[in-house]
């Protein structure tokens, strides 16, 4: 039986993108350098012009607003704003300011991400987050970017998935040192990076608040829903504690916390297990697990009680748009149940607005809107119309299992 769940007033209803994955030509960033370094075989293709959203953002916003979304999460790019240490590009700041105004003009409330995986190359070359003074440099960038969020922006995400940023440091150090990564699951986050990111987050929150006191600040964690197989309970709790909980706890006192959930990791007595034979996998190879979202919001609410939650990412990489609708219906059903049980969720942003650059390849398509790789023509998929319409009805479709 299908029922529905009415969204509370003010609930954010949107789709998400990041700068590097959609803009194209992010030539001053460490990711651009990495994509062209030949360092690992994990980069199938470079980001190139990505979705050309640096130029086509008005079209992206027209589509999202026309589909019914009321909110849009997008990122601004540190490497564009500060391509060389201490040299700030006023045109880049003005560009992002125009995006904020363009969103507002179309009836979209912008949620602005200040950092989403990429760094200016100079910052990476001086040692990244673990190098002394990194948080001061981040705060200096945030202050330079203040015109972007000074007006018309109610929500700022300081850092996207700090836990993944710290995991990537471990992964890259391991690979470049000739080591191997665990066959299943993720390596441990680099500790010095994780601590520096927490300090940088606090500094950024203080900077944003001092410049624009009305802005509600938070950061978004990559949640790690786990399924403990018999005997794996302690390993699962340890896995989640080190890779998720410490980052959730660092959000204590924030205006909101971002939840980002896609899949689950099965954990046995000896650690993470492969996706079982026969289980459905998405284009990223992850297990199809729409219940990850409910698990993530409930776990976050229990770990940082009293902090409102915004789902800043949830979605599926698939070429079968009907599976996207099925996945999202089930994810939203779980979300509605968690909210009915009292979990304080203030918004939902689907990942992603567009088929975009999935950190090494355009193959895993997460988008509600297809992007032709040759012409950049955007074509909304049926899922986009379906999900966007919820912005008008303010009513979540929920299914009874
Ligand atoms: O594409 C990424 C995004 O940049 C961060 N969160 C997970 C998404 C899907 O892998």
């Amino acid at each position: 039986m299908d029922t529905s769940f009415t969204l509370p007033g003010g609930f954010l209803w949107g789709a998400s993108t990041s700068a590097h994955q959609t803009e194209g030509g992010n030539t001053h960033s460490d990711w651009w350098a990495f994509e062209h370094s030949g360092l690992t075989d994990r980069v199938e293709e470079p980001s190139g012009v990505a979705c050309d959203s640096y130029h086509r953002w008005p079209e992206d916003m027209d589509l999202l607003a026309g589909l019914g979304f009321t909110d849009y999460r997008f990122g601004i790019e540190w490497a564009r704003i500060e391509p060389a240490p201490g040299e700030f590009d006023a045109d880049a700041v003005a560009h992002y300011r125009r995006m904020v105004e363009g969103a507002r003009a179309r009836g979209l409330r912008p949620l602005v991400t200040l950092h989403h995986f990429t760094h200016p190359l100079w910052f990476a070359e001086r040692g990244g987050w673990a190098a002394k003074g990194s948080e001061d440099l981040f705060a200096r960038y945030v202050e330079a970017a203040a015109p972007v969020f000074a007006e018309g922006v109610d929500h700022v995400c300081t850092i996207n998935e700090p836990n993944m940023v710290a995991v990537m440091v471990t992964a890259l150090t391991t690979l470049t040192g000739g080591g191997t990564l665990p066959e299943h699951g993720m390596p441990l986050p680099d500790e010095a990076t994780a601590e520096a990111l927490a300090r940088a987050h606090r500094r950024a929150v203080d900077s944003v608040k001092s410049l624009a006191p009305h802005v509600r600040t938070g950061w978004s964690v990559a949640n790690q829903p786990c399924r403990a197989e018999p005997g794996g309970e302690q390993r699962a709790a340890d896995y989640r504690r080190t890779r998720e909980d410490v980052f959730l706890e660092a959000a204590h006192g924030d205006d909101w916390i971002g939840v980002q959930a896609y899949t689950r990791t099965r954990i046995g007595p000896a650690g993470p297990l492969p996706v079982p034979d026969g289980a459905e996998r998405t284009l990223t190879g992850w297990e199809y697990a729409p219940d990850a979202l409910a698990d993530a919001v409930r776990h976050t609410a229990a770990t940082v009680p009293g902090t409102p939650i915004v789902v800043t990412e949830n979605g599926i990489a698939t070429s079968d748009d009907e599976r996207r609708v099925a996945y999202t219906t089930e994810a939203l059903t779980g979300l509605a149940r968690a909210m009915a049980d009292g979990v304080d969720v203030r918004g939902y942003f689907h990942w992603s607005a567009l088929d975009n650059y999935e950190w090494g390849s355009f193959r895993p398509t997460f988008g509600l809107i297809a992007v032709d790789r040759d012409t950049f023509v955007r074509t909304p998929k049926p899922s986009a119309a379906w999900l966007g319409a919820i912005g008008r009805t303010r009513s979540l479709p929920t299914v009874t299992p």
Side-chain angles (χ1 to χ4, degrees):
M1 191 185 76
D2 288 4
T3 54
S4 66
F5 176 87
T6 304
L7 295 173
F11 196 86
L12 312 175
W13 190 253
S16 280
T17 55
S18 84
H20 185 81
Q21 292 174 274
T22 58
E23 288 181 342
N26 191 17
T27 54
H28 295 293
S29 70
D30 60 343
W31 253 90
W32 185 274
F34 177 63
E35 288 164 20
H36 295 89
S37 67
L39 265 181
T40 78
D41 57 4
R42 284 163 198 255
V43 176
E44 287 172 32
E45 54 188 327
S47 54
V49 287
C51 305
D52 195 28
S53 288
Y54 199 74
H55 304 106
R56 294 173 197 253
W57 63 264
E59 204 184 322
D60 299 340
M61 290 188 191
D62 282 344
L63 285 171
L64 292 172
L67 288 162
F69 291 103
T70 51
D71 297 84
Y72 181 32
R73 174 184 178 221
F74 60 87
I76 66 173
E77 183 56 56
W78 185 1
R80 284 187 197 275
I81 291 181
E82 192 180 1
E87 281 178 28
F88 295 95
D89 184 337
D91 289 345
V93 175
H95 167 89
Y96 292 120
R97 179 66 214 159
R98 279 195 298 280
M99 283 183 73
V100 166
E101 287 168 5
R104 283 286 175 181
R106 291 164 173 84
L108 292 170
R109 295 173 292 198
L111 186 157
V112 175
T113 307
L114 303 177
H115 180 274
H116 193 124
F117 290 171
T118 47
H119 311 88
L121 184 56
W122 62 261
F123 179 85
E125 284 177 344
R126 75 182 284 288
W129 292 104
K132 201 165 174 339
S134 62
E135 63 267 33
D136 300 331
L137 295 172
F138 188 57
R140 186 176 70 174
Y141 148 67
V142 172
E143 282 154 27
V148 178
F149 54 78
E151 269 176 57
V153 175
D154 297 333
H155 293 85
V156 161
C157 169
T158 59
I159 299 172
N160 178 77
E161 296 186 354
N163 46 343
M164 295 308 296
V165 176
V167 162
M168 282 187 245
V169 170
T170 308
L172 196 59
T173 317
T174 308
L175 292 173
T176 50
T180 47
L181 297 175
E183 208 182 336
H184 308 294
M186 297 184 324
L188 279 167
D190 178 72
E191 226 173 286
T193 303
E195 284 165 9
L197 284 163
R199 287 196 300 272
H201 170 59
R202 292 264 69 87
R203 285 290 304 276
V205 167
D206 290 348
S207 298
V208 172
K209 294 275 185 200
S210 69
L211 298 160
H214 68 281
V215 171
R216 280 168 270 176
T217 46
W219 74 357
S220 293
V221 174
N223 298 93
Q224 305 299 323
C226 293
R227 173 162 298 177
E229 301 296 341
E233 293 77 8
Q234 191 55 48
R235 290 297 288 256
D238 293 347
Y239 186 90
R240 202 158 189 181
R241 161 122 222 97
T242 48
R243 291 161 182 82
E244 177 183 359
D245 295 355
V246 290
F247 297 87
L248 295 177
E249 283 158 7
H252 186 74
D254 282 351
D255 297 325
W256 55 275
I257 179 152
V259 158
Q260 312 207 147
Y262 294 87
T263 187
R264 71 164 86 89
T265 307
R266 292 173 189 261
I267 307 217
L273 298 166
V275 174
D277 286 344
E280 181 176 347
R281 284 167 179 261
T282 68
L283 289 176
T284 42
W286 303 340
E287 185 173 350
Y288 177 94
D291 56 355
L293 180 60
D295 177 306
V297 293
R298 288 180 189 273
H299 181 82
T300 300
T303 309
V304 232
T307 308
I309 290 171
V310 178
V311 177
T312 39
E313 289 184 22
N314 169 244
I316 173 175
T318 179
S319 54
D320 178 349
D321 199 48
E322 285 179 16
R323 286 314 274 158
R324 188 179 334 278
V325 172
Y327 173 95
T328 310
T329 303
E330 213 176 314
L332 292 175
T333 299
L335 184 70
R337 288 207 186 102
M339 290 172 71
D341 288 345
V343 177
D344 183 7
V345 182
R346 305 282 177 93
Y348 174 90
F349 289 81
H350 193 81
W351 184 271
S352 178
L354 305 172
D355 284 343
N356 62 40
Y357 186 64
E358 178 56 19
W359 307 109
S361 163
F362 287 96
R363 204 175 22 81
T365 42
F366 278 94
L368 297 166
I369 300 172
V371 179
D372 185 291
R373 298 275 353 114
D374 298 319
T375 62
F376 302 103
V377 166
R378 276 89 165 122
T379 309
K381 303 174 189 176
S383 57
W386 167 77
L387 200 65
I390 296 171
R392 298 195 188 96
T393 61
R394 311 303 288 175
S395 171
L396 293 184
T398 62
V399 287
T400 310

